[in-house]
Structures are given as C-alpha cells and as structure tokens.
Amino acid sequence: MGSTCDLHLHSTASTTNDEWYALNFGCPESYATPAEQYALCKRRGMSLVTLTDHDTIDGGLQLLDRPDFFLSEEITTRFPADGCAIHVLAWNISPSQHDRIQAARDNVYNLVDLLRCEQIAHACAHPLFSPNGKLTVSTLEQILVLFPTLEGVNGLTDRGLEQDLHALLRGVDARVMTTLATRHELPIPGDAARGHVLTAGSDDHTLRHSASCFMAVDGDQLPASTFLEAVMLGHGACHGHQADINVMHLTAARVTYGFLSARKIERPGYSDPFVDLVDVVAGRETAAQPPTGMRDEFVRSLLAGAARTATSLGASVDPQLLDEPGDEANARVMGAVRAVHDGLVGHAVDELVEGIRDLDMYRVFGGLRDLAGSVASAAPFLFAAHHYGKQRKLARNVLGQWVASPRPPTKQRLAIFSDSLHQVDGVTSSVRRFVRRAVADGYEVRVPYCGDRPPDDGSDVYSPLPSATTQVTDVYEGMQFHLPSLLGTLDWLWRNEITNVELATPGPMGIVALFAARILQLPVTATYHTELPELARQLSANALVHAGSRKLVSWFYGTVDRVFVFSESSRERLLSLGVPAAKLEHVAVAIDPEEFSPRFACPKIYASLGVVPDNAPIVLSVGRLSREKNVQLVVDAVERLQHLDLPPLLVVVGEGPEGEALRHANRDRPWVIFTGLQEGDTLRRLYASASAFVFAGKIDTLGLVTMEAMSSGLPVLVPQEAAIAELVKDGRTGYCYELSVEGLTKTLGEVLASPNRAHVARNARAAMVERWSQMSMTDVWHSISGGVLGS
C-alpha cells in the first residue's frame, strides 16, 4: 500500500475545545494517551503517525523522539463577519509555527495567509459541518476558495455528509471557483483547474477507530514532508469511510464513561445511571443481596431488563473493551446496550402501570425511579444522536440554498408513525390510502411498526421497530399500545435516512417518534385524525382521564411544526385546546372514484353474505364497532321503520370492541345483519348495491366511510354536528339529521320514500369525482414537507 498515515487523530492533550463533549458534559474529549494512539496506529499498519489535538501540540511533543512521528494540530478558527467556526488541520509543524498559528487563528483569512506563507500542509476538516452551527452558503463558498484541500473522509462525521460533499465537488470546476473568488474578493487559487484534493482521517478520540480512515501514498517509508507533498498534490488515496450512528454512540459512551469513572475514583460513593448501564452490559454488575439503596435497586432493574430481553452480557459487548473496528462490531455492542435499556424502560413502564392499577405506590415510585434512570443512562447516546442531527440539518440547509453549481441531489423520505396500524379504523385507512398513492406517484415513504407486521399490500414500506413494552388499554377494549424503543427509533430514523416525520396518532408511537425526531433535528408534522378528548369523555367516566387527554392533545399538537386538520370543526377544537392557529393547516381528503364506484353494483353480493333482501331497501353502516360510532342508535332507528310496507334491512359491516355486545343485544332482530369485517371488492360491492348509507359518529375528524359511500353513488345520512357534514349539502349531495333516534328515524324514513333519492346519490358521486380531480399528490406531499422535504 506504500506509506500510510491517519491525518486526523486526538489524544488526552485535547482538553479544551468547542466540541459537543465539552459543552454537554464538561469533560475532555479524549481519554486516549498519545502513546496509546501511537501504538495502535503502528499496530494497524500506519507507516507514519501524527496527532491533531485541538489547538495544542502538548500530546505530540511527547512523541517527537519517534522518527516516524510528525507534529500537527487541529485549529479552531472563525470567519470574522459572522463568527462561523471551522476546524483546520495543519500538518508537520514546528513548535514555533504552532505559536504563530495560535496567534493568527481568530481570523480565518490571517490563518490561511500564514499557512500558505510558511508552506504548511493543511486542509479544512469536515467542511460541511461547523462546530458552532453557523455554516452558511457564503462561508461554504469561501471555504472552497480558501482551502484547495478538504477532508473528504472523516471517521466521526455522519456518513451522508461524505456523499453530499463528493456530489457538491463534482459540480465545482475552475469557472465556478473563479466566480466564487470574485464574489468574495479572494485571490483565485492557482490550482483551481485541478479541483479539490481530499484527505482522510479517523478523528478518533477513544482509542477505538484509530487508523480506520487514513491516507495512502505510493512509496514505502516516505518521510513526512514527502508524504504530505504527495497528498497536497492529489497523489494520495483516501481509505475508510465516515461513520454511522453507532460510531458516534460508542464514542460518546467511551468518553463519558472515562470521565464519570474518573469522578467515581475521586469521590467514593459516587454513582451514575450511565456507568451502571455500561457496567451491567459488560457483566461487571450483579444484584446486591439484599439491595442497600436506590442505586442497588436501579442495578436490579437493569439486570431485570437484560433478562427481559434475553441479552447476553459480558466482555464481548463491553463498550470500553471493544477493540475491533467496523460496523459489525459496533452494531453488536450497541445492540446489547439498546436491548438492556429497552428492557429497563419496559420493566419501568410495566411496574408503573401495574402500580397504578393496584394502587401500589411502592411500585409506582419504583417505576418512576427507573424511568428517570433510563433517561439519565441514555443521555450520552441522546446527545450523540442530537450531534448527528445537527450535522445533517446544517448540511441540508446549506446545500438546499446552494446555487453556484448544480445542487447535490436530495433524497426525500417520509416516515409515518401510527399507534393503530393493527386496528381497522379511519386512521389506518387514511395512512394506507396515503401510502398507496404516494408510492404510486414515486414518493418514498416508510411506515415503522412494533409487534406483528400489519396487514398490507406486500409493499416494502413497512419496517419493524423494536419495542420496550406492549400494553392493552382498559379504556378502549382490545387495542394494544406498543412503546417503541427510543434508542431503536433514533437508529431506525438515521439508517432509513428519514428527512421528515409525520405523526398519525398521539399515542406512545407518536410521542416517542416526536422525541426522536426532535433529537435528530427533523421536521415533524401531525395529522389530527381523532377527537381524543371527546373520545375519552365517551369511553371513560373518569374526569382525570378526560382532563389528561386534553392536556396531552394540547401539548402534542402544540409541539409539532404543523398540524393538518380535515375539517373546520377539528380546527376549532384544537384552537380551543390552545394549539396556535399558525400551526394549523386544512388539508383536503379525497376518495379515488375508480376505487369506489357505482360500477361495482352487484345484486347478488348481499345474498352471498346470507342477506335475503326480498326487494327490501338495504341500509348500510360501515365502520369500527365501538361505542363512539353509535351503531345501536342506527339499529333503534331502523327498528322504528319496520312498520313500512317494505321494511328496511340494516347491514352492519365492521368489527371492533363493541361487536360481541352488539350482536348479543340484537340477536332477536332478524332484520339486523352483522357481516364482520369486509374489504376489497366485497366492500365496494356492498356500498354500490345498498339503498342508503348511515353514519352516526359525532366525534370523527372527518368520516372516510361516508366519502366512500358517496363515491359509490349512495345517498348518505350524517349527523348535523359531525365533521363530515361540512362536505354534505343537505338535500343535494346527502342528508343531515339530528343525532338522536327520533332525528335519524324521521330523516331515514323520508329518504327511503323520496323519489329524489337517486338524484341525490348521483350528485354525491359527482361531488366526490370533482373533489378527486382537484387533488394533487404533489400538493399534499409539499404540504407535509413544508415545500421542500427536510427543509
């Protein structure tokens, strides 16, 4: 391979800097001594070794007696106009040059003049990331002019940024460089026609990834000056690749563990949940018998979490002992850490829920203690993910405004989180309908799920997500709520390169996704599918449940970037809960008139399900069989019409928590038929072959089943107070009734006797066709993404 060197490497000498380690934890950024880093680089085949500690050469001075070592540093400098900080690597310097560099580093222009004047080999490190987050298009343009050499491979920088940088540089030629130099009144680089030279370095801080990224130059045992001259001329080759999120997580773990362990030695009796988590994963902790304090109880819970997830513990997954570089080893160790943490969270939530149910306050307080400990123990990982999120967001924003040359292509990908993917309800129908159309139109969508894979059409949009626990609610019978892994969700969002997050529900899936998206600096939108406070009022007599649901909705929808509502009544509801009007956006929903159409009419469809009409009119009800849908009200109204010459039959399609009770209550009413869940062509034919459709829900944010019936050419009856009534013109495209047995009986009787019924049905169909024609998936997509996905 010739001569090799890792050109970006840190040691314990890096003690003060503006890196996130110091800012968040007040600790040094490295616990790897100069001698240890040197030895590891040599063991991994580097012919030359250097250290690039932040604004210091103290570590390098310890190695000057070694002939294959040369002195270097990483310099923090700034653009004077806006204070944008960047890092510059300067190689093969002398102590006196270091002093002059430090004197000039407050101004990037003075620093570059000095480096050029003294012919010091140098490069701009991670050029798409500014440590103080002030990178702009203007500063990036100047970086390209000021630094003909850029760090193209950094072992601690988000892997996506390497692709973005290479894509950007492909469009930067001599003409572009001349334009940029003129724009910023900078000297035109003499080698602008050659293009930028790229270098590579591990940026290792932890004695873990040293020499995983490096430069190689032809020629064995080259001296440092010859090696660097070849690199600066573009004769070197970059090896290695930038990091995935596990690298950043493990870097944070090792640095933080080193810092906290040192504090533990200094202060006997000191403990920290993060140290306990790592020690449990590493197999260094066992349960105290009996526990003597809160710390012992927390360790017990960690061990219970490990047992709960069947996680193998020991040295092979110890973050502090991990020596082998590579994605596979990183994934193995972080997989164990996440599993133990998930087990802890799941154990804590189960204890909390069971304690509340049994009024066992010791279990409640134990659950709260462990939840607090889970947050504390995950803090370094959360900060690491946040750091990566800032990297991506900053680069995304800058590249989104780049106009000097062709803009690097932007991958646009939306993730939709929902708690009801396994249920048959309007939320699930809306999500599936949106996904089908988005995928058909070429947009990229991912839908994560916990537990069993939800029913789908075989597309690859559904993706498994690890969960911490699953709970069955007493309030809504039969519905399971999965609490996804927070660390797993962060990892999933990063690996799937998600640029926007859409929340369909404010349950555990939505809440964890909201936190994860905020940590990763991703734009977050939410759709108001369910009138949760009103649902809670109907399903529970507990005033605390209702009050809690109002607080949850107010916080959840007030926290996201934008909220999509389907109706004016939903908008008013959210406004009354304190959600700012500026965040609310009305979006139209439409049904594909080809999917639900009168052409599906089939006279035999009801007979195939055991319904014998005998020319009797068929009143159809479709939806989830749950209390808030008021199915029994429809039954009672149809019962009052059984005296007619042609008494109507009521066909109820759907399943749900009230299904068994409804069947039992109406077992002696032969004119009520429950068909169970029906989908696909069967459902389409049921719609198109009925006489009328009745919707009795009051708290739905819209009512897709009503729109499906209208598109099928069916006269629909909806409550005057329902949100769907906004789309129904009474007497023209449907009928609105007072939500009571008397009100529905009166209106339904009039509709069944009306000769105008077929005309209203045709108008309903025409209204849905027109609505569909006005819908644009591009508009919907841009509405969700705020114009530019990921902006």
Side-chain angles (χ1 to χ4, degrees):
M1 187 176 289
S3 298
T4 55
C5 185
D6 181 344
L7 290 179
H8 194 162
L9 192 63
H10 295 277
S11 76
T12 50
S14 287
T15 55
T16 58
N17 58 80
D18 54 2
E19 285 285 357
W20 66 281
Y21 304 94
L23 296 177
N24 291 316
F25 300 107
C27 64
E29 68 169 356
S30 177
Y31 281 86
T33 67
E36 288 174 324
Q37 289 286 41
Y38 175 87
L40 184 56
C41 283
K42 298 305 293 184
R43 192 160 67 245
R44 291 180 174 169
M46 297 296 101
S47 60
L48 293 168
V49 180
T50 192
L51 292 178
T52 54
D53 288 319
H54 278 284
D55 298 309
T56 181
I57 56 173
D58 290 350
L61 292 175
Q62 301 176 33
L63 304 175
L64 277 182
D65 60 332
R66 312 189 187 204
D68 50 4
F69 177 84
F70 58 93
L71 204 60
S72 304
E73 69 178 310
E74 184 174 14
I75 310 151
T76 302
T77 186
R78 285 173 171 78
F79 285 86
D82 58 9
C84 174
I86 63 171
H87 288 164
V88 176
L89 298 165
W91 299 297
N92 201 23
I93 61 175
S94 66
S96 61
Q97 286 176 321
H98 160 71
D99 292 338
R100 291 192 290 275
I101 286 172
Q102 288 301 302
R105 75 181 180 92
D106 284 345
N107 186 309
V108 66
Y109 307 114
N110 295 340
L111 174 65
V112 170
D113 285 345
L114 173 66
L115 295 173
R116 290 176 177 175
C117 178
E118 303 211 6
Q119 297 183 336
I120 297 172
H122 63 279
C124 178
H126 43 74
L128 288 182
F129 181 69
S130 162
N132 66 353
K134 292 187 176 182
L135 185 71
T136 64
V137 171
S138 175
T139 50
L140 179 58
E141 290 176 348
Q142 293 179 74
I143 286 171
L144 296 184
V145 177
L146 290 170
F147 297 96
T149 303
L150 304 170
E151 187 179 47
V153 179
N154 178 297
L156 201 55
T157 301
D158 187 328
R159 195 167 293 176
L161 270 63
E162 178 180 351
Q163 301 167 2
D164 290 338
L165 177 63
H166 290 194
L168 174 71
L169 294 180
R170 280 195 291 270
V172 177
D173 54 18
R175 180 188 60 80
V176 172
M177 289 289 288
T178 300
T179 299
L180 297 180
T182 302
R183 178 182 301 164
H184 296 286
E185 300 180 347
L186 295 171
I188 300 174
D191 50 2
R194 184 188 64 191
H196 286 85
V197 171
L198 298 181
T199 67
S202 67
D203 200 1
D204 180 75
H205 300 68
T206 62
L207 201 65
R208 164 79 175 86
H209 296 285
S210 309
S212 61
C213 300
F214 58 91
M215 291 299 296
V217 171
D218 289 342
D220 294 334
Q221 303 301 316
L222 295 178
S225 57
T226 305
F227 177 87
L228 291 171
E229 181 181 5
V231 168
M232 297 297 287
L233 290 173
H235 298 159
C238 296
H239 290 264
H241 55 71
Q242 290 179 299
D244 74 359
I245 197 168
N246 283 337
V247 171
M248 183 58 76
H249 278 158
L250 286 169
T251 299
R254 290 166 75 110
V255 171
T256 306
Y257 187 90
F259 174 63
L260 295 177
S261 296
R263 177 174 291 186
K264 195 173 182 179
I265 294 173
E266 296 166 1
R267 296 165 51 186
Y270 174 83
S271 61
D272 183 89
F274 172 72
V275 174
D276 292 336
L277 171 63
V278 173
D279 284 344
V280 165
V281 171
R284 289 190 285 269
E285 285 289 350
T286 57
Q289 298 289 343
T292 59
M294 183 179 295
R295 190 254 176 193
D296 286 347
E297 292 285 2
F298 182 67
V299 169
R300 275 176 170 268
S301 296
L302 283 167
L303 291 167
R308 178 190 181 103
T309 53
T311 307
S312 297
L313 309 176
S316 65
V317 289
D318 183 352
Q320 296 306 108
L321 296 181
L322 181 64
D323 191 34
E324 55 181 304
D327 291 349
E328 184 177 345
N330 296 337
R332 184 183 72 246
V333 173
M334 279 309 302
V337 171
R338 292 186 190 113
V340 173
H341 188 267
D342 291 346
L344 169 67
V345 173
H347 174 75
V349 171
D350 289 352
E351 288 291 289
L352 185 60
V353 171
E354 292 301 321
I356 292 173
R357 285 174 179 168
D358 299 338
L359 297 179
D360 184 340
M361 296 311 296
Y362 284 105
R363 295 185 76 178
V364 170
F365 288 131
L368 291 174
R369 176 204 63 218
D370 290 345
L371 278 179
S374 72
V375 174
S377 63
F381 304 118
L382 303 184
F383 279 113
H386 181 66
H387 181 67
Y388 257 23
K390 287 196 300 183
Q391 286 187 7
R392 279 196 173 181
K393 181 179 181 180
L394 185 61
R396 211 163 45 227
N397 289 344
V398 171
L399 295 178
Q401 302 171 49
W402 181 265
V403 295
S405 62
R407 185 179 301 167
T410 302
K411 180 179 290 186
Q412 302 179 341
R413 185 171 291 166
L414 174 71
I416 303 177
F417 287 79
S418 172
D419 291 274
S420 64
L421 291 176
H422 297 86
Q423 309 299 321
V424 180
D425 56 23
V427 179
T428 303
S429 297
S430 295
V431 170
R432 290 177 181 170
R433 183 173 283 115
F434 173 84
V435 168
R436 283 199 305 270
R437 190 171 178 198
V439 171
D441 286 1
Y443 295 101
E444 289 200 43
V445 183
R446 295 291 182 272
V447 182
Y449 66 89
C450 294
D452 297 333
R453 183 181 178 90
D456 65 82
D457 56 4
S459 64
D460 62 353
V461 302
Y462 292 91
S463 178
L465 194 64
S467 64
T469 188
T470 299
Q471 293 286 330
V472 178
T473 175
D474 293 332
V475 176
Y476 208 47
E477 182 184 349
M479 177 172 280
Q480 288 185 333
F481 285 101
H482 299 280
L483 178 65
S485 160
L486 176 58
L487 296 180
T489 301
L490 290 168
D491 185 77
W492 184 89
L493 288 169
W494 186 86
R495 292 192 186 285
N496 282 275
E497 299 181 322
I498 300 301
T499 55
N500 269 65
V501 171
E502 159 67 11
L503 310 176
T505 50
M509 286 286 289
I511 292 172
V512 170
L514 173 57
F515 279 117
R518 286 302 185 219
I519 290 170
L520 288 174
Q521 304 274 289
L522 298 175
V524 188
T525 59
T527 301
Y528 191 54
H529 284 283
T530 305
E531 297 279 9
L532 186 60
E534 290 305 307
L535 181 62
R537 186 199 300 274
Q538 290 197 19
L539 298 180
S540 175
N542 190 324
L544 290 177
V545 172
H546 180 241
S549 66
R550 288 177 60 87
K551 290 290 186 182
L552 172 63
V553 168
S554 177
W555 167 80
F556 184 83
Y557 292 103
T559 302
V560 301
D561 298 320
R562 278 193 322 287
V563 184
F564 304 118
V565 296
F566 300 139
S567 62
E568 184 60 28
S569 62
S570 294
R571 181 178 182 276
E572 292 299 324
R573 181 82 66 186
L574 289 175
L575 287 174
S576 71
L577 293 172
V579 180
K583 288 192 174 187
L584 303 179
E585 181 176 339
H586 187 280
V587 293
V589 177
I591 299 296
D592 185 348
E594 292 301 312
E595 184 178 0
F596 292 92
S597 167
R599 66 185 176 86
F600 288 106
C602 177
K604 298 180 180 180
I605 186 61
Y606 284 99
S608 70
L609 296 176
V611 181
V612 184
D614 286 336
N615 295 321
I618 293 178
V619 177
L620 183 64
S621 172
V622 178
R624 183 172 173 80
L625 302 186
S626 50
R627 199 181 313 171
E628 75 278 6
K629 300 298 184 182
N630 296 320
V631 176
Q632 189 59 47
L633 183 148
V634 181
V635 174
D636 294 343
V638 173
E639 182 175 37
R640 295 190 181 189
L641 297 175
Q642 292 305 301
H643 66 281
L644 299 177
D645 293 339
L646 281 178
L649 296 176
L650 174 61
V651 176
V652 180
V653 177
E655 284 293 354
E658 294 290 308
E660 184 177 347
L662 284 168
R663 288 183 176 90
H664 181 76
N666 297 289
R667 64 190 181 282
D668 296 327
R669 294 182 171 97
W671 41 268
V672 181
I673 299 93
F674 292 89
T675 70
L677 178 64
Q678 302 296 331
E679 296 180 296
D681 283 347
T682 299
L683 179 60
R684 297 182 185 100
R685 290 166 182 159
L686 290 172
Y687 274 126
S689 307
S691 305
F693 176 85
V694 176
F695 181 75
K698 179 183 176 182
I699 65 172
D700 295 68
T701 56
L702 189 59
L704 290 175
V705 289
T706 301
M707 298 175 68
E708 292 170 353
M710 294 172 72
S711 184
S712 300
L714 196 58
V716 299
L717 292 81
V718 301
Q720 296 169 349
E721 307 93 330
I724 191 63
E726 296 177 19
L727 301 184
V728 176
K729 296 181 179 179
D730 191 27
R732 293 182 57 193
T733 61
Y735 304 90
C736 299
Y737 65 90
E738 177 192 342
L739 186 58
S740 65
V741 175
E742 294 77 12
L744 178 54
T745 301
K746 179 177 180 296
T747 304
L748 181 57
E750 292 173 353
V751 170
L752 293 177
S754 172
N756 194 44
R757 189 176 72 201
H759 178 68
V760 171
R762 287 193 295 271
N763 288 343
R765 164 74 179 172
M768 292 298 101
V769 171
E770 181 181 5
R771 188 177 181 86
W772 177 261
S773 69
Q774 296 173 350
M775 289 291 294
S776 163
M777 189 61 208
T778 301
D779 293 341
V780 173
W781 187 266
H782 278 239
S783 182
I784 289 178
S785 65
V788 177
L789 200 64
S791 63

mmCIF file of all heavy atoms in Angstrom, residues 503 514-515 518 524 552-563 579-580 583:
data_model
loop_
_atom_site.group_PDB
_atom_site.id
_atom_site.type_symbol
_atom_site.label_atom_id
_atom_site.label_comp_id
_atom_site.label_asym_id
_atom_site.label_seq_id
_atom_site.Cartn_x
_atom_site.Cartn_y
_atom_site.Cartn_z
ATOM 1 N N LEU A 503 -46.765 12.250 12.185
ATOM 2 C CA LEU A 503 -47.352 11.536 13.306
ATOM 3 C C LEU A 503 -48.861 11.427 13.090
ATOM 4 O O LEU A 503 -49.548 12.440 12.989
ATOM 5 C CB LEU A 503 -47.064 12.263 14.616
ATOM 6 C CG LEU A 503 -45.581 12.649 14.839
ATOM 7 C CD1 LEU A 503 -45.436 13.439 16.121
ATOM 8 C CD2 LEU A 503 -44.705 11.413 14.858
ATOM 9 N N LEU A 514 -41.879 11.664 18.145
ATOM 10 C CA LEU A 514 -41.724 13.113 18.293
ATOM 11 C C LEU A 514 -40.411 13.440 18.993
ATOM 12 O O LEU A 514 -39.642 14.300 18.538
ATOM 13 C CB LEU A 514 -42.911 13.676 19.074
ATOM 14 C CG LEU A 514 -42.849 15.155 19.475
ATOM 15 C CD1 LEU A 514 -42.678 16.045 18.251
ATOM 16 C CD2 LEU A 514 -44.092 15.552 20.252
ATOM 17 N N PHE A 515 -40.134 12.751 20.106
ATOM 18 C CA PHE A 515 -38.876 12.993 20.819
ATOM 19 C C PHE A 515 -37.676 12.646 19.936
ATOM 20 O O PHE A 515 -36.696 13.398 19.877
ATOM 21 C CB PHE A 515 -38.833 12.180 22.109
ATOM 22 C CG PHE A 515 -39.586 12.805 23.254
ATOM 23 C CD1 PHE A 515 -40.673 12.169 23.813
ATOM 24 C CD2 PHE A 515 -39.213 14.041 23.761
ATOM 25 C CE1 PHE A 515 -41.377 12.741 24.857
ATOM 26 C CE2 PHE A 515 -39.907 14.625 24.805
ATOM 27 C CZ PHE A 515 -40.996 13.970 25.364
ATOM 28 N N ARG A 518 -37.119 15.243 17.228
ATOM 29 C CA ARG A 518 -36.554 16.478 17.772
ATOM 30 C C ARG A 518 -35.072 16.310 18.083
ATOM 31 O O ARG A 518 -34.267 17.218 17.851
ATOM 32 C CB ARG A 518 -37.311 16.881 19.037
ATOM 33 C CG ARG A 518 -38.703 17.452 18.771
ATOM 34 C CD ARG A 518 -38.613 18.655 17.877
ATOM 35 N NE ARG A 518 -39.888 19.315 17.683
ATOM 36 C CZ ARG A 518 -40.297 19.822 16.541
ATOM 37 N NH1 ARG A 518 -39.509 19.707 15.464
ATOM 38 N NH2 ARG A 518 -41.444 20.442 16.437
ATOM 39 N N VAL A 524 -41.215 17.858 11.923
ATOM 40 C CA VAL A 524 -42.272 16.967 12.392
ATOM 41 C C VAL A 524 -43.631 17.602 12.130
ATOM 42 O O VAL A 524 -43.883 18.747 12.510
ATOM 43 C CB VAL A 524 -42.158 16.676 13.903
ATOM 44 C CG1 VAL A 524 -43.152 15.595 14.309
ATOM 45 C CG2 VAL A 524 -40.751 16.270 14.270
ATOM 46 N N LEU A 552 -52.795 16.220 26.982
ATOM 47 C CA LEU A 552 -51.944 15.510 26.029
ATOM 48 C C LEU A 552 -52.097 16.085 24.626
ATOM 49 O O LEU A 552 -51.106 16.362 23.947
ATOM 50 C CB LEU A 552 -52.290 14.026 26.023
ATOM 51 C CG LEU A 552 -51.623 13.173 24.935
ATOM 52 C CD1 LEU A 552 -50.109 13.177 25.099
ATOM 53 C CD2 LEU A 552 -52.166 11.745 24.942
ATOM 54 N N VAL A 553 -53.337 16.266 24.191
ATOM 55 C CA VAL A 553 -53.586 16.794 22.845
ATOM 56 C C VAL A 553 -53.021 18.205 22.703
ATOM 57 O O VAL A 553 -52.387 18.544 21.692
ATOM 58 C CB VAL A 553 -55.094 16.773 22.540
ATOM 59 C CG1 VAL A 553 -55.402 17.576 21.278
ATOM 60 C CG2 VAL A 553 -55.577 15.343 22.380
ATOM 61 N N SER A 554 -53.233 19.030 23.721
ATOM 62 C CA SER A 554 -52.725 20.402 23.676
ATOM 63 C C SER A 554 -51.206 20.418 23.562
ATOM 64 O O SER A 554 -50.635 21.150 22.739
ATOM 65 C CB SER A 554 -53.164 21.147 24.933
ATOM 66 O OG SER A 554 -52.620 22.452 24.952
ATOM 67 N N TRP A 555 -50.535 19.584 24.384
ATOM 68 C CA TRP A 555 -49.067 19.548 24.330
ATOM 69 C C TRP A 555 -48.567 18.941 23.022
ATOM 70 O O TRP A 555 -47.684 19.506 22.367
ATOM 71 C CB TRP A 555 -48.536 18.718 25.511
ATOM 72 C CG TRP A 555 -47.086 18.378 25.342
ATOM 73 C CD1 TRP A 555 -46.023 19.186 25.590
ATOM 74 C CD2 TRP A 555 -46.555 17.140 24.829
ATOM 75 N NE1 TRP A 555 -44.847 18.527 25.279
ATOM 76 C CE2 TRP A 555 -45.147 17.278 24.806
ATOM 77 C CE3 TRP A 555 -47.136 15.949 24.398
ATOM 78 C CZ2 TRP A 555 -44.320 16.263 24.369
ATOM 79 C CZ3 TRP A 555 -46.303 14.932 23.962
ATOM 80 C CH2 TRP A 555 -44.922 15.084 23.950
ATOM 81 N N PHE A 556 -49.128 17.813 22.632
ATOM 82 C CA PHE A 556 -48.632 17.071 21.477
ATOM 83 C C PHE A 556 -48.744 17.902 20.198
ATOM 84 O O PHE A 556 -47.754 18.092 19.485
ATOM 85 C CB PHE A 556 -49.433 15.771 21.340
ATOM 86 C CG PHE A 556 -48.970 14.867 20.235
ATOM 87 C CD1 PHE A 556 -47.910 14.009 20.421
ATOM 88 C CD2 PHE A 556 -49.620 14.859 19.005
ATOM 89 C CE1 PHE A 556 -47.486 13.159 19.404
ATOM 90 C CE2 PHE A 556 -49.208 14.017 17.982
ATOM 91 C CZ PHE A 556 -48.131 13.168 18.185
ATOM 92 N N TYR A 557 -49.935 18.399 19.919
ATOM 93 C CA TYR A 557 -50.119 19.134 18.669
ATOM 94 C C TYR A 557 -49.551 20.546 18.742
ATOM 95 O O TYR A 557 -49.280 21.154 17.699
ATOM 96 C CB TYR A 557 -51.597 19.156 18.290
ATOM 97 C CG TYR A 557 -52.107 17.785 17.903
ATOM 98 C CD1 TYR A 557 -52.886 17.036 18.780
ATOM 99 C CD2 TYR A 557 -51.778 17.224 16.680
ATOM 100 C CE1 TYR A 557 -53.329 15.767 18.434
ATOM 101 C CE2 TYR A 557 -52.215 15.953 16.332
ATOM 102 C CZ TYR A 557 -52.990 15.228 17.218
ATOM 103 O OH TYR A 557 -53.424 13.969 16.882
ATOM 104 N N GLY A 558 -49.351 21.045 19.958
ATOM 105 C CA GLY A 558 -48.705 22.338 20.086
ATOM 106 C C GLY A 558 -47.201 22.271 19.934
ATOM 107 O O GLY A 558 -46.547 23.287 19.734
ATOM 108 N N THR A 559 -46.637 21.060 20.014
ATOM 109 C CA THR A 559 -45.186 20.877 19.956
ATOM 110 C C THR A 559 -44.669 20.668 18.538
ATOM 111 O O THR A 559 -43.547 21.048 18.220
ATOM 112 C CB THR A 559 -44.779 19.678 20.843
ATOM 113 O OG1 THR A 559 -45.228 19.921 22.176
ATOM 114 C CG2 THR A 559 -43.277 19.484 20.864
ATOM 115 N N VAL A 560 -45.484 20.059 17.672
ATOM 116 C CA VAL A 560 -45.022 19.750 16.317
ATOM 117 C C VAL A 560 -44.936 21.024 15.484
ATOM 118 O O VAL A 560 -45.414 22.087 15.889
ATOM 119 C CB VAL A 560 -45.951 18.716 15.644
ATOM 120 C CG1 VAL A 560 -45.999 17.437 16.456
ATOM 121 C CG2 VAL A 560 -47.355 19.286 15.461
ATOM 122 N N ASP A 561 -44.339 20.903 14.300
ATOM 123 C CA ASP A 561 -44.161 22.080 13.445
ATOM 124 C C ASP A 561 -45.467 22.537 12.796
ATOM 125 O O ASP A 561 -45.743 23.732 12.722
ATOM 126 C CB ASP A 561 -43.126 21.775 12.346
ATOM 127 C CG ASP A 561 -41.763 21.462 12.924
ATOM 128 O OD1 ASP A 561 -41.376 22.130 13.899
ATOM 129 O OD2 ASP A 561 -41.099 20.543 12.423
ATOM 130 N N ARG A 562 -46.274 21.567 12.318
ATOM 131 C CA ARG A 562 -47.556 21.902 11.708
ATOM 132 C C ARG A 562 -48.539 20.785 11.981
ATOM 133 O O ARG A 562 -48.147 19.626 12.119
ATOM 134 C CB ARG A 562 -47.426 22.103 10.184
ATOM 135 C CG ARG A 562 -46.947 23.471 9.808
ATOM 136 C CD ARG A 562 -47.113 23.792 8.325
ATOM 137 N NE ARG A 562 -46.864 22.709 7.423
ATOM 138 C CZ ARG A 562 -45.661 22.213 7.140
ATOM 139 N NH1 ARG A 562 -44.609 22.701 7.728
ATOM 140 N NH2 ARG A 562 -45.519 21.241 6.276
ATOM 141 N N VAL A 563 -49.820 21.157 12.041
ATOM 142 C CA VAL A 563 -50.879 20.183 12.288
ATOM 143 C C VAL A 563 -51.859 20.248 11.125
ATOM 144 O O VAL A 563 -52.335 21.333 10.762
ATOM 145 C CB VAL A 563 -51.627 20.470 13.603
ATOM 146 C CG1 VAL A 563 -52.661 19.376 13.874
ATOM 147 C CG2 VAL A 563 -50.659 20.585 14.762
ATOM 148 N N VAL A 579 -53.827 25.128 20.833
ATOM 149 C CA VAL A 579 -52.863 24.940 19.741
ATOM 150 C C VAL A 579 -52.840 26.207 18.894
ATOM 151 O O VAL A 579 -53.895 26.679 18.459
ATOM 152 C CB VAL A 579 -53.228 23.719 18.877
ATOM 153 C CG1 VAL A 579 -52.220 23.547 17.744
ATOM 154 C CG2 VAL A 579 -53.290 22.465 19.734
ATOM 155 N N PRO A 580 -51.684 26.813 18.644
ATOM 156 C CA PRO A 580 -51.625 28.077 17.899
ATOM 157 C C PRO A 580 -52.223 27.957 16.504
ATOM 158 O O PRO A 580 -51.991 26.979 15.789
ATOM 159 C CB PRO A 580 -50.117 28.374 17.825
ATOM 160 C CG PRO A 580 -49.527 27.625 18.977
ATOM 161 C CD PRO A 580 -50.356 26.391 19.122
ATOM 162 N N LYS A 583 -50.096 27.147 13.394
ATOM 163 C CA LYS A 583 -49.626 25.793 13.139
ATOM 164 C C LYS A 583 -50.662 24.946 12.409
ATOM 165 O O LYS A 583 -50.333 23.854 11.942
ATOM 166 C CB LYS A 583 -49.271 25.098 14.458
ATOM 167 C CG LYS A 583 -48.004 25.619 15.108
ATOM 168 C CD LYS A 583 -47.559 24.710 16.236
ATOM 169 C CE LYS A 583 -46.206 25.168 16.779
ATOM 170 N NZ LYS A 583 -45.644 24.239 17.753
#
